[in-house]
Amino acid sequence: METLENKIEEIKDILKDFAMGLLRLEHTTERLGQEIERIGHEINKLKDSIDEVNKQREEDRKYWNEQWEKVNKQREEDRKYWNEQWEKAKKEREEDRKRFNKEWGALSNKLGTIVEDIIFPATRPVLESYFKCKITDLSLNREKIKDGLQDEFDVIAVSDECKTVFLIEVKSTPKIDYIDDFRNNKIERFRKLFDEYKDYKLVPIFASLRLQDNIINYLTKHKIYAMAFREWEYMDLLNFDSIKS
């Protein structure tokens, strides 16, 4: 049977072992706390690095956005500049062309070549555009003598497919008297001299470089087409819609 002393010694050994366990636990806990502190420090360093990277990325993004905006702004300014230059050049070309037409018309008028230089070359495209008839015969300054009757006609355009003949009287200085002579005399003489077109519809046209409103109105009243420059840009029939309607 164990003695009291043995029990006491046994309890002392247990308490000693327990104390040693507590010391080891305290040491382990201290080391764990240091490791946790180290890991926390490393995490903070990593977080600072990530924040620095994000900050740099944001600065880079902002920088390149600013550069892109500058490039876009410059491109827009360049586009606007060249569009303005193009429009300016286009306007100057139109003004030069209009001035050339006017000056050439004045010169042709002085030289007496208005028919050959301006009216005649425009005849085919103008007539085919408006009347949708292919011109199969086109003559300039056509003179004919028949049965003692003689006359000369400035421009004659014929469309066999439409069975239509276009008679164009050209005057450098248009006057009411010239129109009256054309509608009362010239057209009738044409019918007599060119009876091969007796079954063709005859379309009378009075042409000049420029026609005043009163002349155009007079021609429209008598169902005669007015052919001249439209604002010195191109040769045109100025009262086509009025007569067709």
Side-chain angles (χ1 to χ4, degrees), residues 155-200:
V155 179
I156 301 173
V158 180
S159 172
D160 291 321
E161 67 177 18
C162 293
K163 295 187 72 66
T164 301
V165 57
F166 302 90
L167 181 62
I168 303 177
E169 178 78 356
V170 181
K171 294 296 182 183
S172 59
T173 306
K175 297 179 181 179
I176 298 297
D177 290 344
Y178 296 154
I179 299 173
D180 288 339
D181 180 66
F182 177 54
R183 69 187 184 88
N184 295 326
N185 302 312
K186 199 104 178 179
I187 293 176
E188 185 61 28
R189 287 197 294 272
F190 174 83
R191 292 185 184 279
K192 291 180 179 179
L193 289 169
F194 292 89
D195 58 352
E196 60 265 35
Y197 300 122
K198 63 182 179 180
D199 296 328
Y200 280 43

mmCIF file of all heavy atoms in Angstrom, residues 155-200:
data_model
loop_
_atom_site.group_PDB
_atom_site.id
_atom_site.type_symbol
_atom_site.label_atom_id
_atom_site.label_comp_id
_atom_site.label_asym_id
_atom_site.label_seq_id
_atom_site.Cartn_x
_atom_site.Cartn_y
_atom_site.Cartn_z
ATOM 1 N N VAL A 155 -30.127 75.504 -136.115
ATOM 2 C CA VAL A 155 -29.925 74.115 -135.678
ATOM 3 C C VAL A 155 -31.191 73.321 -135.960
ATOM 4 O O VAL A 155 -32.295 73.755 -135.618
ATOM 5 C CB VAL A 155 -29.595 74.018 -134.164
ATOM 6 C CG1 VAL A 155 -29.407 72.557 -133.753
ATOM 7 C CG2 VAL A 155 -28.349 74.823 -133.823
ATOM 8 N N ILE A 156 -31.005 72.136 -136.572
ATOM 9 C CA ILE A 156 -32.108 71.205 -136.796
ATOM 10 C C ILE A 156 -31.712 69.869 -136.179
ATOM 11 O O ILE A 156 -30.661 69.314 -136.505
ATOM 12 C CB ILE A 156 -32.412 71.025 -138.303
ATOM 13 C CG1 ILE A 156 -32.777 72.372 -138.938
ATOM 14 C CG2 ILE A 156 -33.542 70.013 -138.499
ATOM 15 C CD1 ILE A 156 -32.919 72.298 -140.451
ATOM 16 N N ALA A 157 -32.547 69.375 -135.278
ATOM 17 C CA ALA A 157 -32.297 68.076 -134.646
ATOM 18 C C ALA A 157 -33.488 67.166 -134.919
ATOM 19 O O ALA A 157 -34.636 67.567 -134.726
ATOM 20 C CB ALA A 157 -32.094 68.244 -133.138
ATOM 21 N N VAL A 158 -33.209 65.946 -135.358
ATOM 22 C CA VAL A 158 -34.275 65.027 -135.743
ATOM 23 C C VAL A 158 -34.181 63.747 -134.911
ATOM 24 O O VAL A 158 -33.092 63.212 -134.691
ATOM 25 C CB VAL A 158 -34.180 64.674 -137.240
ATOM 26 C CG1 VAL A 158 -35.305 63.698 -137.626
ATOM 27 C CG2 VAL A 158 -34.242 65.934 -138.088
ATOM 28 N N SER A 159 -35.335 63.286 -134.432
ATOM 29 C CA SER A 159 -35.421 61.988 -133.761
ATOM 30 C C SER A 159 -36.392 61.128 -134.552
ATOM 31 O O SER A 159 -37.607 61.339 -134.498
ATOM 32 C CB SER A 159 -35.907 62.156 -132.321
ATOM 33 O OG SER A 159 -36.152 60.888 -131.740
ATOM 34 N N ASP A 160 -35.846 60.173 -135.280
ATOM 35 C CA ASP A 160 -36.705 59.301 -136.088
ATOM 36 C C ASP A 160 -37.548 58.386 -135.208
ATOM 37 O O ASP A 160 -38.700 58.096 -135.536
ATOM 38 C CB ASP A 160 -35.840 58.467 -137.044
ATOM 39 C CG ASP A 160 -35.198 59.338 -138.123
ATOM 40 O OD1 ASP A 160 -35.873 60.270 -138.608
ATOM 41 O OD2 ASP A 160 -34.024 59.096 -138.457
ATOM 42 N N GLU A 161 -36.982 57.918 -134.094
ATOM 43 C CA GLU A 161 -37.738 56.998 -133.251
ATOM 44 C C GLU A 161 -38.930 57.680 -132.588
ATOM 45 O O GLU A 161 -39.936 57.036 -132.309
ATOM 46 C CB GLU A 161 -36.823 56.382 -132.185
ATOM 47 C CG GLU A 161 -36.315 57.353 -131.152
ATOM 48 C CD GLU A 161 -35.473 56.670 -130.079
ATOM 49 O OE1 GLU A 161 -35.007 55.542 -130.313
ATOM 50 O OE2 GLU A 161 -35.285 57.267 -129.008
ATOM 51 N N CYS A 162 -38.840 58.993 -132.345
ATOM 52 C CA CYS A 162 -39.957 59.734 -131.757
ATOM 53 C C CYS A 162 -40.751 60.484 -132.819
ATOM 54 O O CYS A 162 -41.742 61.161 -132.484
ATOM 55 C CB CYS A 162 -39.446 60.723 -130.707
ATOM 56 S SG CYS A 162 -38.748 59.950 -129.243
ATOM 57 N N LYS A 163 -40.277 60.397 -134.075
ATOM 58 C CA LYS A 163 -40.906 61.123 -135.186
ATOM 59 C C LYS A 163 -41.119 62.588 -134.786
ATOM 60 O O LYS A 163 -42.228 63.141 -134.858
ATOM 61 C CB LYS A 163 -42.234 60.474 -135.577
ATOM 62 C CG LYS A 163 -42.074 59.078 -136.145
ATOM 63 C CD LYS A 163 -43.380 58.531 -136.665
ATOM 64 C CE LYS A 163 -43.807 59.209 -137.960
ATOM 65 N NZ LYS A 163 -42.882 58.914 -139.068
ATOM 66 N N THR A 164 -40.001 63.206 -134.369
ATOM 67 C CA THR A 164 -40.020 64.594 -133.907
ATOM 68 C C THR A 164 -38.833 65.336 -134.497
ATOM 69 O O THR A 164 -37.719 64.798 -134.574
ATOM 70 C CB THR A 164 -39.937 64.659 -132.366
ATOM 71 O OG1 THR A 164 -41.045 63.952 -131.807
ATOM 72 C CG2 THR A 164 -39.969 66.101 -131.874
ATOM 73 N N VAL A 165 -39.076 66.575 -134.920
ATOM 74 C CA VAL A 165 -37.995 67.433 -135.396
ATOM 75 C C VAL A 165 -37.966 68.686 -134.516
ATOM 76 O O VAL A 165 -38.997 69.305 -134.244
ATOM 77 C CB VAL A 165 -38.175 67.802 -136.886
ATOM 78 C CG1 VAL A 165 -39.506 68.472 -137.137
ATOM 79 C CG2 VAL A 165 -37.024 68.687 -137.366
ATOM 80 N N PHE A 166 -36.776 69.025 -134.046
ATOM 81 C CA PHE A 166 -36.580 70.188 -133.183
ATOM 82 C C PHE A 166 -35.934 71.300 -134.019
ATOM 83 O O PHE A 166 -34.842 71.117 -134.569
ATOM 84 C CB PHE A 166 -35.678 69.843 -131.999
ATOM 85 C CG PHE A 166 -36.197 68.709 -131.153
ATOM 86 C CD1 PHE A 166 -35.843 67.391 -131.436
ATOM 87 C CD2 PHE A 166 -37.031 68.965 -130.069
ATOM 88 C CE1 PHE A 166 -36.309 66.344 -130.645
ATOM 89 C CE2 PHE A 166 -37.506 67.923 -129.277
ATOM 90 C CZ PHE A 166 -37.152 66.616 -129.573
ATOM 91 N N LEU A 167 -36.616 72.428 -134.082
ATOM 92 C CA LEU A 167 -36.109 73.568 -134.843
ATOM 93 C C LEU A 167 -35.648 74.635 -133.849
ATOM 94 O O LEU A 167 -36.448 75.160 -133.071
ATOM 95 C CB LEU A 167 -37.208 74.118 -135.763
ATOM 96 C CG LEU A 167 -36.806 75.311 -136.643
ATOM 97 C CD1 LEU A 167 -35.686 74.911 -137.610
ATOM 98 C CD2 LEU A 167 -38.007 75.830 -137.420
ATOM 99 N N ILE A 168 -34.343 74.936 -133.891
ATOM 100 C CA ILE A 168 -33.766 75.863 -132.910
ATOM 101 C C ILE A 168 -33.313 77.142 -133.608
ATOM 102 O O ILE A 168 -32.478 77.109 -134.512
ATOM 103 C CB ILE A 168 -32.584 75.213 -132.169
ATOM 104 C CG1 ILE A 168 -33.034 73.912 -131.489
ATOM 105 C CG2 ILE A 168 -32.005 76.171 -131.141
ATOM 106 C CD1 ILE A 168 -31.911 73.166 -130.797
ATOM 107 N N GLU A 169 -33.891 78.245 -133.148
ATOM 108 C CA GLU A 169 -33.505 79.571 -133.637
ATOM 109 C C GLU A 169 -32.594 80.212 -132.585
ATOM 110 O O GLU A 169 -32.933 80.277 -131.400
ATOM 111 C CB GLU A 169 -34.749 80.437 -133.846
ATOM 112 C CG GLU A 169 -34.471 81.847 -134.296
ATOM 113 C CD GLU A 169 -34.131 81.940 -135.785
ATOM 114 O OE1 GLU A 169 -34.039 80.871 -136.452
ATOM 115 O OE2 GLU A 169 -33.977 83.071 -136.277
ATOM 116 N N VAL A 170 -31.408 80.673 -133.002
ATOM 117 C CA VAL A 170 -30.422 81.213 -132.071
ATOM 118 C C VAL A 170 -30.207 82.699 -132.343
ATOM 119 O O VAL A 170 -29.988 83.108 -133.479
ATOM 120 C CB VAL A 170 -29.079 80.460 -132.187
ATOM 121 C CG1 VAL A 170 -28.066 81.018 -131.182
ATOM 122 C CG2 VAL A 170 -29.277 78.970 -131.958
ATOM 123 N N LYS A 171 -30.260 83.490 -131.271
ATOM 124 C CA LYS A 171 -30.005 84.929 -131.387
ATOM 125 C C LYS A 171 -29.077 85.353 -130.257
ATOM 126 O O LYS A 171 -29.275 84.992 -129.099
ATOM 127 C CB LYS A 171 -31.313 85.729 -131.305
ATOM 128 C CG LYS A 171 -32.273 85.493 -132.463
ATOM 129 C CD LYS A 171 -31.682 85.969 -133.778
ATOM 130 C CE LYS A 171 -32.668 85.772 -134.921
ATOM 131 N NZ LYS A 171 -32.083 86.172 -136.233
ATOM 132 N N SER A 172 -28.065 86.161 -130.597
ATOM 133 C CA SER A 172 -27.154 86.655 -129.564
ATOM 134 C C SER A 172 -27.825 87.720 -128.714
ATOM 135 O O SER A 172 -27.539 87.862 -127.526
ATOM 136 C CB SER A 172 -25.882 87.215 -130.216
ATOM 137 O OG SER A 172 -26.209 88.263 -131.115
ATOM 138 N N THR A 173 -28.726 88.474 -129.328
ATOM 139 C CA THR A 173 -29.477 89.504 -128.598
ATOM 140 C C THR A 173 -30.960 89.240 -128.802
ATOM 141 O O THR A 173 -31.560 89.677 -129.785
ATOM 142 C CB THR A 173 -29.127 90.916 -129.107
ATOM 143 O OG1 THR A 173 -27.714 91.102 -129.055
ATOM 144 C CG2 THR A 173 -29.805 91.973 -128.252
ATOM 145 N N PRO A 174 -31.587 88.519 -127.894
ATOM 146 C CA PRO A 174 -32.990 88.139 -128.079
ATOM 147 C C PRO A 174 -33.941 89.339 -127.981
ATOM 148 O O PRO A 174 -33.803 90.182 -127.105
ATOM 149 C CB PRO A 174 -33.239 87.153 -126.932
ATOM 150 C CG PRO A 174 -32.209 87.480 -125.902
ATOM 151 C CD PRO A 174 -31.012 87.968 -126.650
ATOM 152 N N LYS A 175 -34.889 89.388 -128.925
ATOM 153 C CA LYS A 175 -35.899 90.447 -128.946
ATOM 154 C C LYS A 175 -37.253 89.836 -129.281
ATOM 155 O O LYS A 175 -37.322 88.766 -129.914
ATOM 156 C CB LYS A 175 -35.551 91.523 -129.979
ATOM 157 C CG LYS A 175 -34.250 92.266 -129.696
ATOM 158 C CD LYS A 175 -33.983 93.297 -130.790
ATOM 159 C CE LYS A 175 -32.676 94.043 -130.537
ATOM 160 N NZ LYS A 175 -32.400 95.038 -131.615
ATOM 161 N N ILE A 176 -38.298 90.516 -128.885
ATOM 162 C CA ILE A 176 -39.654 90.049 -129.184
ATOM 163 C C ILE A 176 -39.868 89.937 -130.690
ATOM 164 O O ILE A 176 -40.498 88.986 -131.178
ATOM 165 C CB ILE A 176 -40.711 90.987 -128.565
ATOM 166 C CG1 ILE A 176 -40.591 91.013 -127.032
ATOM 167 C CG2 ILE A 176 -42.117 90.561 -128.971
ATOM 168 C CD1 ILE A 176 -40.844 89.689 -126.367
ATOM 169 N N ASP A 177 -39.322 90.899 -131.438
ATOM 170 C CA ASP A 177 -39.477 90.877 -132.907
ATOM 171 C C ASP A 177 -38.879 89.611 -133.502
ATOM 172 O O ASP A 177 -39.441 89.034 -134.449
ATOM 173 C CB ASP A 177 -38.804 92.104 -133.531
ATOM 174 C CG ASP A 177 -39.545 93.396 -133.211
ATOM 175 O OD1 ASP A 177 -40.715 93.314 -132.779
ATOM 176 O OD2 ASP A 177 -38.953 94.481 -133.382
ATOM 177 N N TYR A 178 -37.733 89.176 -132.966
ATOM 178 C CA TYR A 178 -37.099 87.955 -133.476
ATOM 179 C C TYR A 178 -37.981 86.737 -133.192
ATOM 180 O O TYR A 178 -38.090 85.832 -134.040
ATOM 181 C CB TYR A 178 -35.732 87.749 -132.827
ATOM 182 C CG TYR A 178 -34.715 88.818 -133.152
ATOM 183 C CD1 TYR A 178 -33.661 89.089 -132.292
ATOM 184 C CD2 TYR A 178 -34.793 89.549 -134.337
ATOM 185 C CE1 TYR A 178 -32.708 90.054 -132.580
ATOM 186 C CE2 TYR A 178 -33.854 90.522 -134.637
ATOM 187 C CZ TYR A 178 -32.814 90.772 -133.764
ATOM 188 O OH TYR A 178 -31.879 91.738 -134.059
ATOM 189 N N ILE A 179 -38.607 86.737 -132.021
ATOM 190 C CA ILE A 179 -39.496 85.625 -131.673
ATOM 191 C C ILE A 179 -40.715 85.594 -132.592
ATOM 192 O O ILE A 179 -41.131 84.531 -133.080
ATOM 193 C CB ILE A 179 -39.941 85.733 -130.196
ATOM 194 C CG1 ILE A 179 -38.728 85.674 -129.264
ATOM 195 C CG2 ILE A 179 -40.943 84.626 -129.845
ATOM 196 C CD1 ILE A 179 -39.056 85.944 -127.805
ATOM 197 N N ASP A 180 -41.280 86.756 -132.852
ATOM 198 C CA ASP A 180 -42.451 86.838 -133.734
ATOM 199 C C ASP A 180 -42.108 86.372 -135.135
ATOM 200 O O ASP A 180 -42.892 85.659 -135.783
ATOM 201 C CB ASP A 180 -42.985 88.269 -133.764
ATOM 202 C CG ASP A 180 -43.678 88.657 -132.460
ATOM 203 O OD1 ASP A 180 -44.093 87.742 -131.730
ATOM 204 O OD2 ASP A 180 -43.796 89.867 -132.179
ATOM 205 N N ASP A 181 -40.930 86.778 -135.630
ATOM 206 C CA ASP A 181 -40.518 86.348 -136.969
ATOM 207 C C ASP A 181 -40.310 84.838 -136.998
ATOM 208 O O ASP A 181 -40.674 84.170 -137.980
ATOM 209 C CB ASP A 181 -39.223 87.065 -137.371
ATOM 210 C CG ASP A 181 -38.759 86.641 -138.745
ATOM 211 O OD1 ASP A 181 -39.468 86.946 -139.737
ATOM 212 O OD2 ASP A 181 -37.689 86.000 -138.844
ATOM 213 N N PHE A 182 -39.773 84.297 -135.904
ATOM 214 C CA PHE A 182 -39.532 82.856 -135.826
ATOM 215 C C PHE A 182 -40.843 82.073 -135.857
ATOM 216 O O PHE A 182 -41.013 81.133 -136.656
ATOM 217 C CB PHE A 182 -38.743 82.548 -134.543
ATOM 218 C CG PHE A 182 -38.498 81.091 -134.301
ATOM 219 C CD1 PHE A 182 -37.904 80.274 -135.260
ATOM 220 C CD2 PHE A 182 -38.855 80.503 -133.076
ATOM 221 C CE1 PHE A 182 -37.680 78.927 -135.023
ATOM 222 C CE2 PHE A 182 -38.635 79.156 -132.838
ATOM 223 C CZ PHE A 182 -38.044 78.359 -133.819
ATOM 224 N N ARG A 183 -41.819 82.485 -135.047
ATOM 225 C CA ARG A 183 -43.059 81.717 -134.948
ATOM 226 C C ARG A 183 -44.013 81.974 -136.110
ATOM 227 O O ARG A 183 -44.788 81.087 -136.478
ATOM 228 C CB ARG A 183 -43.741 82.006 -133.613
ATOM 229 C CG ARG A 183 -44.321 83.393 -133.455
ATOM 230 C CD ARG A 183 -44.822 83.639 -132.032
ATOM 231 N NE ARG A 183 -45.479 84.936 -131.877
ATOM 232 C CZ ARG A 183 -46.759 85.160 -132.100
ATOM 233 N NH1 ARG A 183 -47.540 84.163 -132.508
ATOM 234 N NH2 ARG A 183 -47.284 86.366 -131.938
ATOM 235 N N ASN A 184 -43.942 83.176 -136.690
ATOM 236 C CA ASN A 184 -44.892 83.522 -137.763
ATOM 237 C C ASN A 184 -44.366 83.201 -139.152
ATOM 238 O O ASN A 184 -45.155 82.950 -140.068
ATOM 239 C CB ASN A 184 -45.255 85.002 -137.696
ATOM 240 C CG ASN A 184 -46.022 85.353 -136.426
ATOM 241 O OD1 ASN A 184 -46.808 84.546 -135.931
ATOM 242 N ND2 ASN A 184 -45.791 86.558 -135.898
ATOM 243 N N ASN A 185 -43.052 83.219 -139.314
ATOM 244 C CA ASN A 185 -42.485 83.071 -140.659
ATOM 245 C C ASN A 185 -41.521 81.890 -140.785
ATOM 246 O O ASN A 185 -41.643 81.062 -141.677
ATOM 247 C CB ASN A 185 -41.764 84.362 -141.066
ATOM 248 C CG ASN A 185 -42.699 85.570 -141.035
ATOM 249 O OD1 ASN A 185 -43.815 85.522 -141.568
ATOM 250 N ND2 ASN A 185 -42.265 86.656 -140.419
ATOM 251 N N LYS A 186 -40.574 81.852 -139.893
ATOM 252 C CA LYS A 186 -39.497 80.873 -140.045
ATOM 253 C C LYS A 186 -40.011 79.441 -139.960
ATOM 254 O O LYS A 186 -39.609 78.569 -140.735
ATOM 255 C CB LYS A 186 -38.445 81.107 -138.953
ATOM 256 C CG LYS A 186 -37.090 80.474 -139.256
ATOM 257 C CD LYS A 186 -36.097 81.522 -139.690
ATOM 258 C CE LYS A 186 -34.739 80.923 -139.944
ATOM 259 N NZ LYS A 186 -33.767 81.937 -140.389
ATOM 260 N N ILE A 187 -40.894 79.181 -139.005
ATOM 261 C CA ILE A 187 -41.424 77.830 -138.839
ATOM 262 C C ILE A 187 -42.186 77.389 -140.093
ATOM 263 O O ILE A 187 -42.049 76.248 -140.553
ATOM 264 C CB ILE A 187 -42.327 77.753 -137.591
ATOM 265 C CG1 ILE A 187 -41.491 77.946 -136.320
ATOM 266 C CG2 ILE A 187 -43.077 76.417 -137.540
ATOM 267 C CD1 ILE A 187 -42.293 77.979 -135.034
ATOM 268 N N GLU A 188 -42.966 78.292 -140.646
ATOM 269 C CA GLU A 188 -43.734 77.969 -141.844
ATOM 270 C C GLU A 188 -42.819 77.692 -143.035
ATOM 271 O O GLU A 188 -43.055 76.761 -143.818
ATOM 272 C CB GLU A 188 -44.699 79.113 -142.166
ATOM 273 C CG GLU A 188 -45.639 78.835 -143.343
ATOM 274 C CD GLU A 188 -46.550 77.640 -143.104
ATOM 275 O OE1 GLU A 188 -46.862 77.353 -141.921
ATOM 276 O OE2 GLU A 188 -46.930 76.982 -144.091
ATOM 277 N N ARG A 189 -41.748 78.500 -143.151
ATOM 278 C CA ARG A 189 -40.791 78.266 -144.246
ATOM 279 C C ARG A 189 -40.090 76.911 -144.072
ATOM 280 O O ARG A 189 -39.805 76.218 -145.057
ATOM 281 C CB ARG A 189 -39.760 79.391 -144.296
ATOM 282 C CG ARG A 189 -40.333 80.706 -144.839
ATOM 283 C CD ARG A 189 -39.228 81.663 -145.263
ATOM 284 N NE ARG A 189 -38.422 82.116 -144.128
ATOM 285 C CZ ARG A 189 -38.697 83.177 -143.380
ATOM 286 N NH1 ARG A 189 -39.797 83.896 -143.641
ATOM 287 N NH2 ARG A 189 -37.922 83.525 -142.386
ATOM 288 N N PHE A 190 -39.828 76.553 -142.829
ATOM 289 C CA PHE A 190 -39.185 75.250 -142.587
ATOM 290 C C PHE A 190 -40.104 74.116 -143.048
ATOM 291 O O PHE A 190 -39.650 73.163 -143.690
ATOM 292 C CB PHE A 190 -38.865 75.088 -141.094
ATOM 293 C CG PHE A 190 -38.330 73.728 -140.746
ATOM 294 C CD1 PHE A 190 -36.989 73.427 -140.925
ATOM 295 C CD2 PHE A 190 -39.170 72.724 -140.249
ATOM 296 C CE1 PHE A 190 -36.498 72.160 -140.619
ATOM 297 C CE2 PHE A 190 -38.687 71.469 -139.947
ATOM 298 C CZ PHE A 190 -37.343 71.182 -140.131
ATOM 299 N N ARG A 191 -41.381 74.219 -142.731
ATOM 300 C CA ARG A 191 -42.319 73.159 -143.123
ATOM 301 C C ARG A 191 -42.372 73.010 -144.641
ATOM 302 O O ARG A 191 -42.470 71.887 -145.155
ATOM 303 C CB ARG A 191 -43.707 73.472 -142.580
ATOM 304 C CG ARG A 191 -43.809 73.403 -141.046
ATOM 305 C CD ARG A 191 -45.253 73.605 -140.601
ATOM 306 N NE ARG A 191 -45.414 73.638 -139.153
ATOM 307 C CZ ARG A 191 -45.482 72.569 -138.370
ATOM 308 N NH1 ARG A 191 -45.407 71.361 -138.921
ATOM 309 N NH2 ARG A 191 -45.641 72.704 -137.064
ATOM 310 N N LYS A 192 -42.294 74.128 -145.353
ATOM 311 C CA LYS A 192 -42.360 74.070 -146.818
ATOM 312 C C LYS A 192 -41.062 73.534 -147.416
ATOM 313 O O LYS A 192 -41.083 72.765 -148.384
ATOM 314 C CB LYS A 192 -42.655 75.457 -147.376
ATOM 315 C CG LYS A 192 -44.064 75.953 -147.063
ATOM 316 C CD LYS A 192 -44.283 77.348 -147.642
ATOM 317 C CE LYS A 192 -45.705 77.841 -147.349
ATOM 318 N NZ LYS A 192 -45.931 79.210 -147.892
ATOM 319 N N LEU A 193 -39.936 73.934 -146.841
ATOM 320 C CA LEU A 193 -38.646 73.512 -147.388
ATOM 321 C C LEU A 193 -38.305 72.071 -147.022
ATOM 322 O O LEU A 193 -37.609 71.374 -147.759
ATOM 323 C CB LEU A 193 -37.535 74.446 -146.890
ATOM 324 C CG LEU A 193 -37.547 75.860 -147.482
ATOM 325 C CD1 LEU A 193 -36.578 76.765 -146.737
ATOM 326 C CD2 LEU A 193 -37.168 75.815 -148.967
ATOM 327 N N PHE A 194 -38.774 71.621 -145.855
ATOM 328 C CA PHE A 194 -38.460 70.257 -145.405
ATOM 329 C C PHE A 194 -39.754 69.457 -145.262
ATOM 330 O O PHE A 194 -40.125 69.017 -144.171
ATOM 331 C CB PHE A 194 -37.709 70.297 -144.059
ATOM 332 C CG PHE A 194 -36.331 70.874 -144.142
ATOM 333 C CD1 PHE A 194 -36.138 72.245 -143.994
ATOM 334 C CD2 PHE A 194 -35.222 70.071 -144.383
ATOM 335 C CE1 PHE A 194 -34.867 72.799 -144.066
ATOM 336 C CE2 PHE A 194 -33.944 70.615 -144.461
ATOM 337 C CZ PHE A 194 -33.761 71.986 -144.304
ATOM 338 N N ASP A 195 -40.410 69.241 -146.377
ATOM 339 C CA ASP A 195 -41.671 68.524 -146.320
ATOM 340 C C ASP A 195 -41.488 67.037 -146.011
ATOM 341 O O ASP A 195 -42.464 66.315 -145.783
ATOM 342 C CB ASP A 195 -42.459 68.698 -147.623
ATOM 343 C CG ASP A 195 -41.663 68.224 -148.834
ATOM 344 O OD1 ASP A 195 -40.460 67.904 -148.686
ATOM 345 O OD2 ASP A 195 -42.252 68.177 -149.927
ATOM 346 N N GLU A 196 -40.213 66.560 -145.990
ATOM 347 C CA GLU A 196 -39.978 65.162 -145.616
ATOM 348 C C GLU A 196 -40.317 64.925 -144.136
ATOM 349 O O GLU A 196 -40.439 63.774 -143.694
ATOM 350 C CB GLU A 196 -38.513 64.759 -145.876
ATOM 351 C CG GLU A 196 -37.476 65.556 -145.110
ATOM 352 C CD GLU A 196 -36.923 66.734 -145.918
ATOM 353 O OE1 GLU A 196 -37.713 67.302 -146.681
ATOM 354 O OE2 GLU A 196 -35.733 67.039 -145.766
ATOM 355 N N TYR A 197 -40.471 66.045 -143.379
ATOM 356 C CA TYR A 197 -40.831 65.918 -141.969
ATOM 357 C C TYR A 197 -42.293 66.309 -141.714
ATOM 358 O O TYR A 197 -42.670 66.667 -140.604
ATOM 359 C CB TYR A 197 -39.920 66.796 -141.106
ATOM 360 C CG TYR A 197 -38.446 66.440 -141.207
ATOM 361 C CD1 TYR A 197 -37.518 67.382 -141.620
ATOM 362 C CD2 TYR A 197 -38.003 65.156 -140.905
ATOM 363 C CE1 TYR A 197 -36.169 67.072 -141.709
ATOM 364 C CE2 TYR A 197 -36.660 64.832 -140.996
ATOM 365 C CZ TYR A 197 -35.741 65.791 -141.407
ATOM 366 O OH TYR A 197 -34.405 65.470 -141.500
ATOM 367 N N LYS A 198 -43.108 66.231 -142.754
ATOM 368 C CA LYS A 198 -44.500 66.663 -142.616
ATOM 369 C C LYS A 198 -45.274 65.805 -141.608
ATOM 370 O O LYS A 198 -46.259 66.276 -141.025
ATOM 371 C CB LYS A 198 -45.198 66.653 -143.982
ATOM 372 C CG LYS A 198 -45.285 65.265 -144.615
ATOM 373 C CD LYS A 198 -45.952 65.351 -145.989
ATOM 374 C CE LYS A 198 -46.016 63.965 -146.645
ATOM 375 N NZ LYS A 198 -46.673 64.033 -147.978
ATOM 376 N N ASP A 199 -44.858 64.528 -141.441
ATOM 377 C CA ASP A 199 -45.543 63.660 -140.489
ATOM 378 C C ASP A 199 -44.881 63.671 -139.108
ATOM 379 O O ASP A 199 -45.293 62.938 -138.209
ATOM 380 C CB ASP A 199 -45.572 62.221 -141.018
ATOM 381 C CG ASP A 199 -46.392 62.107 -142.302
ATOM 382 O OD1 ASP A 199 -47.367 62.875 -142.436
ATOM 383 O OD2 ASP A 199 -46.058 61.271 -143.152
ATOM 384 N N TYR A 200 -43.845 64.509 -138.965
ATOM 385 C CA TYR A 200 -43.126 64.598 -137.692
ATOM 386 C C TYR A 200 -43.686 65.751 -136.858
ATOM 387 O O TYR A 200 -44.125 66.767 -137.385
ATOM 388 C CB TYR A 200 -41.633 64.850 -137.911
ATOM 389 C CG TYR A 200 -40.841 63.613 -138.275
ATOM 390 C CD1 TYR A 200 -41.327 62.683 -139.198
ATOM 391 C CD2 TYR A 200 -39.601 63.369 -137.714
ATOM 392 C CE1 TYR A 200 -40.599 61.565 -139.543
ATOM 393 C CE2 TYR A 200 -38.857 62.259 -138.050
ATOM 394 C CZ TYR A 200 -39.357 61.356 -138.972
ATOM 395 O OH TYR A 200 -38.633 60.245 -139.314
#
